[in-house]
Amino acid sequence: MKELAGRLTALDPDAGAAVRVIAYFDRLTESRAGLEALVRGAAVLAGVPARLVDGERRVRVRIEADGTRRDSPAPPDPAWPCAALSPDGVPALWLERAGAEPSVVDAVILERAAAAVRRVLDRTRGRAPADDPALVETLLDATAPESARMHAARRLGLAPTAPARALAVSDGAPRVVPEQTPDAPPAGRAGAGPGVPPTGRVGVGPAVPVLRLPESWGAARIALRFASEEPGRRVVHAEELGSLALLADLVAPGAEPPADVRALEAAAATAPWLLATLDAVASTTSLRAAAAEINVHHSTLQDRLAHAEQLLGWPVRTPQGRFRLQLALTLRHLARA
């Protein structure tokens, strides 16, 4: 398909772009992407916001051209390029492009996206395989009607009143799993109970009844920001954060980090051992426990901390300094998430 698109582009740029659009939505369909992913694909490919409005099934999704979801209560403009989800249906998918005739590429985007959306709606609002990722998206969508979310829960094998948790995974799709034991993070494929644990960083939402899973999902996404591959904890439960969760609102991912975080990064650049050492000090009950954690002698740890304090500009072996260190490490995770 890529070779064909390249040849067509040389002859006709619009034809080449149309073939790439077809291939893109074919890949999304094969991976059983959900509604949000499909509308996002339409928006990004078209370079303008895209929105899906299905009044009959009470579905509303609007995605900006940069991929950000930003729903709007305003009705679609009839002048925008649009497509119906069925041959005799009313328009349900729009590209917010005003003042121009729809291009060939826009028409292909709408046609392929609408067909993929129709298949997802048929699966999530009708018959569907029990391992469908789109069912999880429906279950976690607070804007989806309760009837659709209950249908998704049943298809995923979740009892209506039994508690379940949402999992946010850094390198995979969202998951929903039945509550297991309070001292172990749940794992498994979506709604299927125990199985292969997720890889990457994991944020675990609180256990709630299935209709409250959007709340668990929100908490799981916050917990994911506190998780870290190295150093730190890979799996973070939202219930463990307490008031620390408020920090997530203060530090935006990718924003300029606070001064103490910049000091940590500068110090780590000169001492490769520094972050692992400081994380051990911040997360254990004593310096001896920290030394055992990183497998160094107690005197070696003391020498490292003395050097770290010179680099950072504040003590890390006093109660106040240790708290400052814990806060700086936490803010570093949030700034990098």
Side-chain angles (χ1 to χ4, degrees), residues 92-327:
L93 184 66
W94 284 266
L95 299 177
E96 298 183 10
R97 193 188 303 283
E101 288 295 322
S103 67
V104 172
V105 176
D106 281 351
V108 175
I109 290 172
L110 286 167
E111 189 273 332
R112 302 302 291 190
V117 164
R118 181 174 64 251
R119 284 191 285 269
V120 170
L121 288 173
D122 288 344
R123 294 201 312 265
T124 58
R125 271 63 169 178
R127 296 184 299 276
D131 61 348
D132 194 327
L135 288 170
V136 178
E137 179 188 299
T138 300
L139 191 57
L140 300 180
D141 185 357
T143 66
E146 287 190 6
S147 58
R149 283 189 279 147
M150 290 303 297
H151 170 77
R154 287 191 296 270
R155 298 297 295 153
L156 291 169
L158 297 170
T161 58
R165 295 176 184 266
L167 272 64
V169 185
S170 62
D171 58 357
R175 300 189 181 198
V176 175
V177 294
E179 170 66 331
Q180 297 178 22
T181 60
D183 58 346
R189 68 178 176 85
V196 179
T199 59
R201 297 179 295 113
V202 182
V204 182
V208 294
V210 292
L211 287 179
R212 291 180 55 196
L213 277 169
E215 301 172 31
S216 183
W217 171 235
R221 285 183 293 173
I222 293 174
L224 177 64
R225 295 189 58 200
F226 287 85
S228 175
E229 292 277 5
E230 185 68 31
R233 293 182 297 163
R234 187 180 71 85
V235 178
V236 174
H237 286 69
E239 297 103 318
E240 297 173 355
L241 293 174
S243 297
L244 285 177
L246 298 175
L247 295 175
D249 293 331
L250 301 179
V251 182
E256 178 70 14
D260 283 356
V261 176
R262 296 198 299 271
L264 271 177
E265 298 288 6
T270 66
W273 47 262
L274 184 132
L275 286 176
T277 300
L278 295 181
D279 181 75
V281 170
S283 59
T284 55
T285 57
S286 68
L287 292 183
R288 291 198 177 276
E293 175 76 16
I294 56 176
N295 197 29
V296 300
H297 192 272
H298 184 261
S299 61
T300 302
L301 177 63
Q302 292 284 4
D303 291 341
R304 286 188 177 187
L305 294 182
H307 184 55
E309 289 171 342
Q310 290 180 343
L311 294 174
L312 293 174
W314 79 81
V316 298
R317 289 172 284 187
T318 65
Q320 296 85 355
R322 187 168 182 265
F323 174 73
R324 184 175 176 181
L325 172 63
Q326 291 170 327
L327 185 59

